């Protein structure tokens, strides 16, 4: 289903004309209202009137998370605080939090792109949306909330935690849509099994999952255990929150980016050079309609590809691949680039393995080591030693085949790896570099 046919199926030439008009207005506004942008543009020798085509976007300097922190909390806002009706912020676990603000019109834009997101996933008016994303400073919960209300669905603002109660409410309220991180969805499935609740006794039809990397194998695991169709979404608070891109339920062949609001680029993360369509690289966004907190060429550090071929669903919007990793959580182990999603891809292809794992990176002398702790089912764990050894060797071999490095695999008993109510912590890096 398409929520806004005018913009989601617009001919690309017309879309580019709208993008250019909105880009020029945004650049002019930030140059006038934000000293940081004015100074950076002066350093780069570019003026707002130099932006005559979309290709001229490359004249503008990049924006990074470090730039956001340097202007903490409100230094990049283009409107006075009295026009900001909402503030959200990151957790700030690796430094100062990044703070984002919304005008009343920004909230309306967010509700619009989230209604498109939910509609693309197959949600419609009359659905009961069980929203287990976190509410509060995190953008996930309220982003889904306003989008679902805009769509005409009924929202259960349950947030994360208290999982047994969540399952009881899903039964009693007839939830048809589950929104959460994929790892929390698996956690709910596990607790359902413990409670003796069969997925077939629920009404769940669609699950919309994001906020952390997840593989095709995990998708199949979630769909099997919860009896629903799992849809991938993409978003980040610096751009608007959830609602930047979504898979369509019809084709599931990449995530459509709502380009009339967010202009994407793919760059070489090392050189910053623009890469052609279909190339793997770092995703960069410029917002085209944000009022309070527009961003120009924000480097997301997420690695993906863009595809401009038509989609069978009828949308003309560009599609991005599922994010394969990040430039900053990429592990370099003995000179090899390793992404947790690659390890997960191996694990999810092995039937005896549960979808709960942790990667522990350490340094012994001058040598980096990687251990993958992975849960196995009760029957496998109590199997004879030779069977466990065989499974361990198999996983180690498949990881080596894919990544080209040797790692240790440790099979652990069921439920021994900490469960998450939000984003799962997949990597523990103990190295002191």
């Amino acid at each position: 289903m398409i929520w806004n046919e005018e913009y989601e199926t617009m001919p690309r030439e017309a879309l580019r004309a709208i993008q250019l008009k909105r880009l020029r207005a945004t650049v002019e506004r930030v140059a006038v209202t934000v000293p940081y942008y004015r100074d950076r543009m002066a350093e780069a020798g570019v003026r707002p009137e130099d932006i005559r085509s979309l290709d001229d976007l490359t004249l503008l300097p990049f924006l990074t998370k470090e730039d956001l922190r340097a202007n903490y909390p409100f230094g990049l806002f283009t409107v006075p605080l009295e026009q900001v009706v909402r503030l959200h912020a990151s957790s700030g676990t690796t430094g100062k939090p990044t703070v984002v603000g919304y005008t009343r019109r920004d909230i309306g834009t967010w509700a619009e792109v989230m209604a498109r997101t939910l509609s693309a996933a197959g949600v419609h008016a009359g659905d009961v949306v069980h929203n287990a994303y976190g509410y509060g400073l995190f953008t996930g919960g309220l982003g889904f909330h306003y989008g679902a209300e805009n769509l005409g669905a009924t929202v259960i603002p349950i947030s994360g935690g208290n999982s047994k109660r969540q399952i009881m409410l899903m039964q009693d309220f007839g939830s048809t849509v589950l929104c959460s991180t994929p790892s929390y969805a698996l956690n709910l499935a596990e607790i359902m099994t413990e409670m003796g609740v069969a997925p077939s006794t629920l009404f769940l039809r669609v699950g919309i999952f994001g906020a952390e990397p997840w593989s095709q194998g995990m998708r199949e695991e979630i769909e099997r255990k919860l009896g629903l169709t799992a849809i991938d979404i993409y978003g980040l608070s610096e751009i608007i929150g959830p609602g930047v891109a979504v898979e369509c339920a019809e084709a599931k062949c990449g995530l459509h980016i709502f380009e009339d609001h967010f202009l994407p680029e793919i760059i070489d993360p090392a050189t910053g050079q623009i890469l052609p369509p279909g190339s793997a690289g770092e995703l960069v966004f410029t917002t085209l309609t944000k009022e309070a907190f527009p961003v120009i060429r924000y480097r997301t550090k997420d690695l993906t590809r863009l595809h401009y071929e038509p989609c069978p669903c009828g949308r003309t919007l560009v599609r991005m691949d599922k994010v394969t990793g990040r430039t900053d959580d990429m592990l370099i182990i003995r000179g090899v680039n390793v992404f947790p999603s690659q390890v997960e891809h191996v694990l999810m292809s092995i039937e005896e393995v549960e979808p709960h794992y942790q990667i522990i990176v350490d340094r012994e002398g001058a040598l980096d080591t990687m251990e993958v702790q992975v849960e196995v089912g009760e029957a496998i764990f109590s199997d004879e030693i030779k069977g466990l050894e065989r499974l361990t060797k198999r996983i180690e071999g498949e990881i080596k085949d894919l990544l080209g490095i040797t790692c240790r695999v440790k099979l652990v008993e069921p439920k021994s790896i900490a469960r998450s109510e939000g984003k799962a912590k997949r990597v523990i890096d103990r190295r002191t570099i």
Side-chain angles (χ1 to χ4, degrees):
M1 291 178 287
I2 298 177
W3 174 255
N4 189 328
E5 290 204 10
E6 178 184 1
Y7 286 101
E8 295 183 71
T9 64
M10 180 176 281
R12 290 207 61 82
E13 195 62 30
L15 177 61
R16 286 176 64 83
I18 288 176
Q19 288 177 318
L20 178 59
K21 180 181 178 183
R22 291 177 173 179
L23 172 65
R24 295 183 67 173
T26 299
V27 172
E28 286 173 10
R29 190 151 53 85
V30 298
V32 169
T33 56
V34 182
Y36 173 82
Y37 277 116
R38 189 162 55 240
D39 294 345
R40 290 293 305 277
M41 289 170 65
E43 289 170 14
V46 58
R47 302 164 301 169
E49 54 267 35
D50 294 330
I51 307 302
R52 300 185 182 92
S53 73
L54 289 179
D55 291 338
D56 292 331
L57 183 63
T58 59
L59 300 173
L60 297 165
F62 290 116
L63 183 72
T64 67
K65 187 177 280 287
E66 288 70 33
D67 295 323
L68 304 190
R69 287 175 175 151
N71 288 280
Y72 172 87
F74 308 134
L76 296 181
F77 284 12
T78 60
V79 298
L81 201 56
E82 56 263 33
Q83 293 181 28
V84 174
V85 299
R86 175 93 63 77
L87 291 171
H88 284 280
S90 68
S91 60
T93 50
T94 56
K96 282 281 189 184
T98 53
V99 181
V100 294
Y102 301 77
T103 63
R104 196 171 300 283
R105 197 181 84 174
D106 289 333
I107 295 294
T109 301
W110 197 8
E112 156 71 15
V113 292
M114 276 308 299
R116 294 186 192 180
T117 298
L118 291 159
S119 188
V123 183
H124 48 69
D127 266 316
V128 179
V129 177
H130 188 94
N131 186 10
Y133 281 106
Y135 283 68
L137 284 176
F138 175 57
T139 53
L142 284 168
F144 272 87
H145 188 109
Y146 279 83
E149 287 189 346
N150 191 25
L151 192 70
T154 302
V155 186
I156 304 171
I158 190 74
S159 196
N162 208 346
S163 302
K164 289 184 178 178
R165 184 165 180 264
Q166 298 223 11
I167 292 163
M168 180 193 78
L169 293 180
M170 279 195 275
Q171 291 176 301
D172 295 347
F173 292 179
S175 304
T176 54
V177 180
L178 171 63
C179 305
S180 73
T181 59
S183 58
Y184 189 55
L186 280 175
N187 193 13
L188 287 173
E190 192 171 83
I191 293 170
M192 282 171 56
T193 302
E194 291 173 0
M195 294 170 66
V197 175
S200 58
T201 63
L202 299 179
F203 300 91
L204 289 176
R205 190 184 77 253
V206 180
I208 305 172
F209 307 114
E212 63 185 13
W214 55 305
S215 64
Q216 179 63 24
M218 185 175 276
R219 182 208 297 269
E220 292 166 4
E221 191 83 8
I222 291 171
E223 290 185 334
R224 185 176 62 80
K225 290 189 170 179
L226 286 174
L228 47 69
T229 297
I231 298 293
D232 192 12
I233 63 159
Y234 176 84
L236 62 169
S237 61
E238 292 86 347
I239 304 305
I240 201 164
V244 176
V246 64
E247 283 180 327
C248 57
E250 294 91 337
K252 287 187 186 175
C253 59
L255 292 83
H256 294 280
I257 297 172
F258 299 119
E259 289 177 273
D260 51 318
H261 293 286
F262 317 113
L263 182 58
E265 301 170 87
I266 291 289
I267 64 167
D268 182 324
T271 66
Q273 295 298 307
I274 297 286
L275 297 176
S279 303
E282 181 181 350
L283 184 60
V284 174
F285 273 115
T286 297
T287 61
L288 299 175
T289 53
K290 290 271 293 292
E291 279 190 333
F293 182 69
V295 295
I296 306 289
R297 305 196 81 197
Y298 179 69
R299 295 186 62 160
T300 66
K301 299 188 178 182
D302 288 329
L303 297 170
T304 184
R305 292 183 173 87
L306 296 181
H307 303 283
Y308 289 86
E309 300 83 8
C311 178
C313 74
R315 290 176 179 82
T316 53
L317 303 167
V318 68
R319 284 167 288 125
M320 58 180 276
D321 282 350
K322 183 183 277 290
V323 171
T324 56
R326 287 176 53 81
T327 58
D328 60 352
D329 73 1
M330 179 180 71
L331 298 165
I332 300 178
I333 299 173
R334 301 196 290 279
V336 176
N337 296 343
V338 175
F339 293 101
S341 57
Q342 293 174 300
V343 175
E344 181 180 304
H345 175 76
V346 170
L347 298 177
M348 292 301 103
S349 68
I350 298 173
E351 189 177 344
E352 298 92 327
V353 167
E354 296 291 308
H356 304 288
Y357 68 95
Q358 207 154 48
I359 301 168
I360 299 170
V361 184
D362 215 331
R363 177 160 289 181
E364 295 176 3
L367 184 67
D368 291 339
T369 63
M370 182 171 86
E371 178 177 283
V372 179
Q373 296 186 354
V374 55
E375 287 185 14
V376 292
E378 195 72 57
I380 299 294
F381 192 73
S382 57
D383 202 354
E384 59 177 6
I385 297 296
K386 281 187 179 176
L388 295 173
E389 288 178 345
R390 198 178 307 119
L391 180 58
T392 300
K393 296 286 184 194
R394 179 185 169 195
I395 299 171
E396 289 175 344
E398 295 202 16
I399 289 176
K400 185 170 184 178
D401 286 346
L402 182 68
L403 302 178
I405 63 169
T406 301
C407 73
R408 283 193 297 264
V409 169
K410 182 179 180 182
L411 305 181
V412 298
E413 59 186 309
K415 301 182 181 57
S416 60
I417 291 177
R419 301 299 192 255
S420 165
E421 293 178 350
K423 296 185 182 185
K425 185 173 177 58
R426 299 296 194 198
V427 179
I428 298 174
D429 194 341
R430 294 172 177 163
R431 292 175 294 184
T432 302
I433 308 288

